[in-house]
């Protein structure tokens, strides 16, 4: 039986990856940090009955804990998914972000090295954010690394240290450079989930409007389930390497918002620019009689802007497709439908 250790097990990807590895017959050790609320495991509650799913309490900021579990369980695979993963928040807590995301990765790699674990394979959750504001039409494994936030800088460090430990010590350490991936399990403050959630509340007459930041930013959005399958392929590849995982498409936040509202029976139009921009109802299906033409449902507020943002991301996953035979299977259209359905059921 293969043994896997997942840091960040309570997160979006922690859930999908745990589910996938358990279905493949792995024993999964999931690292969860201490939380004052019991519902911090909400995403993984459905998996907790599985006797091969074991939760360990620990923190990425604690090298003794990391060394202890890595030495004790001598797992086949370590998936390092734990992170302070919110880009805007990283501007408010840059040191903590660096400690968890950058030094946390180093702590794991050092534990593998010091304990001389030749058979342990390591996967690092790298991010398309490391490319910053690239001038390239598509970003791939050869694109220059130019982080534009404390989060991206911490992930760039983690990316490099993973590569360095691979090349210096022969550790099987790979980076999955994942572009944005979403699901009904996405955290509520990331833009896709925030939009879907608010749109559902607006049609249910529980919220008046949705306040957003940079509507022009373009992202390459895929489904977390597809991307967690890629993690398993990356760690099982014959040699350690770095792979871009993306959908190959891009869309602005404004366009994403329009699609979500359209699916719920509201046609949106936008007018004005910058902080003054608004989104208002052009047409609405008659069942939604609490809403009317010209009603403003989208507003912009500068508090949701970042000091610097990444304006355009579009990933080229050719290498993963060629070497890992990986490609996305869930379209953005299906992803949005799934997120809407889940939100509707949640509120019902
Ligand atoms: P997420 O939902 O924010 O989950 C992050 C996980 O890390 C949570 O389980 C969180 O615990 C845990 N964590 C945070 N600080 C920790 C600490 N000090 N010690 C131990 N655990 C800690 O993120 P995700 O979307 O699943 O992403 C997974 C990984 O991929 C992250 O490293 C992220 O940076 C990276 N990534 C994500 C995307 C994406 O689009 N989703 C794209 C590229 C890379 P709590 O539940 O207690 O908060
Ligand atoms: O923002 C804009 C915002 O926070 C996407 C993380 O998983 O993916 C994620 O990082 C875009 C940005 O994701 C709001 O300015 C507008 O341009 O959903 P997000 P992110 O910053 O791309 C990468 C790959 C990761 O690695 C990260 O861990 O949307 N935007 N208005 C907004 N964003 C938010 N959150 N909230 C708004 O109101």
């Amino acid at each position: 039986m293969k043994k896997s250790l997942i840091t960040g097990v309570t997160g979006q990807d922690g859930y999908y990856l745990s589910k996938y590895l358990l279905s493949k017959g792995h024993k999964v050790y999931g690292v969860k940090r201490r939380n004052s609320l019991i519902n911090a495991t909400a995403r993984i509650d459905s998996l907790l009955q599985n006797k091969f799913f074991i939760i360990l309490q620990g923190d990425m900021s604690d090298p003794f804990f990391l060394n202890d579990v890595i030495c004790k369980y001598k797992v086949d695979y370590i998936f390092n998914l734990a992170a302070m993963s919110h880009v805007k928040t990283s501007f408010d807590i840059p040191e903590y972000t660096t400690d968890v995301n950058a030094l946390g990765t180093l702590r794991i790699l050092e534990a593998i090295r010091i304990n001389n674990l030749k058979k342990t394979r390591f996967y690092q959750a790298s991010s398309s954010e490391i490319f910053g504001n690239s001038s390239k039409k598509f970003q791939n494994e050869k694109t220059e690394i130019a982080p534009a936030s404390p989060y991206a800088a911490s992930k760039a460090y983690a990316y490099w240290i993973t590569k360095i430990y691979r090349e210096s010590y022969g550790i099987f350490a790979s980076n999955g450079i994942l572009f944005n991936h979403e699901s009904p399990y996405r955290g509520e403050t990331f833009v896709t989930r925030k939009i879907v959630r608010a749109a559902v509340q607006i049609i249910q007459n529980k919220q008046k409007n949705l306040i957003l930041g940079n509507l022009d930013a373009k992202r390459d959005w895929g489904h977390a389930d597809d991307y967690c399958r890629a993690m398993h392929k990356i760690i099982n590849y014959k040699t350690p390497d770095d792979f871009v995982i993306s959908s190959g498409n891009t869309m602005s936040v404004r366009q994403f918002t329009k699609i979500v509202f359209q699916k719920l029976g509201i046609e949106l139009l936008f007018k004005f620019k910058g902080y003054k921009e608004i989104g208002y109802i052009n047409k609405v299906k008659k069942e939604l009689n609490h809403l009317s033409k010209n009603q403003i449902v989208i507003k912009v507020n500068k508090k949701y802007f970042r000091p610097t943002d990444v304006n355009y991301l579009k990933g080229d996953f050719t290498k993963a497709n060629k070497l890992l035979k990986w490609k996305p299977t869930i379209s953005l259209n299906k992803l949005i439908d799934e997120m809407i359905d889940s939100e509707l059921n949640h509120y019902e």
Side-chain angles (χ1 to χ4, degrees):
M1 186 176 221
K2 293 277 185 206
K3 289 188 289 181
S4 289
L5 178 76
I6 303 179
T7 69
V9 74
T10 55
Q12 170 189 257
D13 292 4
Y15 162 71
Y16 281 101
L17 183 63
S18 299
K19 191 166 72 128
Y20 187 61
L21 295 179
L22 289 167
S23 79
K24 294 230 153 241
H26 286 224
K27 185 168 193 173
V28 174
Y29 297 93
V31 177
K32 172 201 161 310
R33 63 176 163 169
R34 200 239 157 212
N35 195 288
S36 64
L37 286 173
I38 195 127
N39 68 2
T41 57
R43 287 185 179 107
I44 53 166
D45 278 349
S46 61
L47 307 175
L48 291 174
Q49 299 304 321
N50 190 320
K51 66 175 178 182
F52 298 117
F53 188 51
I54 293 137
I55 297 298
L56 309 168
Q57 186 162 285
D59 202 289
M60 292 300 289
S61 60
D62 186 338
F64 301 106
F65 162 77
L66 290 169
N67 186 63
D68 190 42
V69 288
I70 288 168
C71 176
K72 187 164 165 192
Y73 296 107
K74 296 191 174 47
V75 293
D76 302 284
Y77 306 113
I78 298 175
F79 293 91
N80 183 30
L81 309 186
M84 200 311 285
S85 73
H86 202 279
V87 176
K88 179 161 190 297
T89 304
S90 78
F91 286 96
D92 303 326
I93 48 170
E95 190 192 319
Y96 177 74
T97 303
T98 308
D99 188 19
V100 173
N101 301 6
L103 296 181
T105 307
L106 175 66
R107 289 174 189 124
I108 295 180
L109 287 163
E110 267 296 84
I112 298 173
R113 185 185 72 79
I114 290 166
N115 292 295
N116 201 22
L117 299 177
K118 297 276 181 234
K119 290 195 180 136
T120 299
R121 292 181 170 211
F122 175 76
Y123 171 90
Q124 170 56 19
S126 188
S127 163
S128 51
E129 283 292 303
I130 65 174
F131 299 128
N133 278 301
S134 158
S135 56
K136 297 275 185 286
K137 202 172 160 205
F138 281 95
Q139 297 83 41
N140 65 22
E141 296 80 3
K142 296 199 173 105
T143 304
E144 189 195 353
I145 293 174
S149 64
Y151 169 80
S154 73
K155 285 286 181 180
Y157 174 89
Y159 166 87
W160 282 115
I161 204 70
T162 298
K163 222 166 141 53
I164 289 166
Y165 271 57
R166 170 167 88 218
E167 286 160 9
S168 310
Y169 304 118
I171 293 175
F172 194 109
S174 298
N175 285 294
I177 310 170
L178 272 51
F179 282 62
N180 298 54
H181 46 281
E182 320 292 313
S183 74
Y185 289 75
R186 186 58 143 152
E188 290 91 339
T189 60
F190 295 94
V191 80
T192 57
R193 179 90 193 275
K194 179 174 166 180
I195 293 166
V196 172
R197 203 165 184 231
V200 166
Q201 296 251 36
I202 288 169
I203 65 153
Q204 294 180 340
N205 203 11
K206 291 178 184 150
Q207 185 172 330
K208 290 278 173 239
N209 46 49
L210 161 64
I211 305 177
L212 291 167
N214 182 5
L215 299 176
D216 291 318
K218 289 189 166 176
R219 287 292 182 275
D220 175 330
W221 282 295
H223 196 297
D225 204 6
D226 271 341
Y227 289 39
C228 289
R229 265 192 314 108
M231 294 176 191
H232 183 251
K233 281 184 176 279
I234 291 172
I235 212 165
N236 274 298
Y237 190 58
K238 58 184 179 201
T239 48
D241 206 339
D242 307 321
F243 293 94
V244 159
I245 300 296
S246 66
S247 78
N249 300 308
T250 194
M251 184 184 280
S252 70
V253 172
R254 185 184 298 100
Q255 188 61 26
F256 184 93
T257 310
K258 273 186 170 180
I259 295 174
V260 172
F261 277 78
Q262 188 72 58
K263 282 178 182 285
L264 289 165
I266 301 171
E267 187 184 292
L268 284 183
L269 288 178
F270 285 81
K271 66 176 177 187
F272 309 129
K273 291 261 168 263
Y275 301 147
K276 296 219 163 87
E277 183 161 357
I278 51 166
Y280 61 96
I281 298 176
N282 188 42
K283 276 189 201 147
V284 56
K285 67 177 177 190
K286 60 174 183 304
E287 296 90 308
L288 302 177
N289 51 23
H290 63 286
L291 296 169
S292 53
K293 188 173 162 71
N294 294 329
Q295 187 174 333
I296 297 167
V297 280
I298 311 291
K299 291 181 180 174
V300 169
N301 191 305
K302 70 173 180 214
K303 82 173 178 185
Y304 294 112
F305 281 71
R306 294 141 195 216
T308 49
D309 204 353
V310 170
N311 293 314
Y312 173 87
L313 286 170
K314 189 176 185 183
D316 162 18
F317 64 90
T318 309
K319 181 176 171 185
N321 184 240
K322 210 168 148 193
L323 302 185
L324 306 175
K325 311 277 175 261
W326 178 88
K327 63 172 189 216
T329 64
I330 307 168
S331 67
L332 183 62
N333 194 38
K334 270 199 188 152
L335 165 67
I336 298 176
D337 286 343
E338 193 187 329
M339 290 179 78
I340 290 177
D341 278 354
S342 160
E343 215 66 54
L344 284 168
N345 291 331
H346 181 76
Y347 285 108
E348 271 164 16

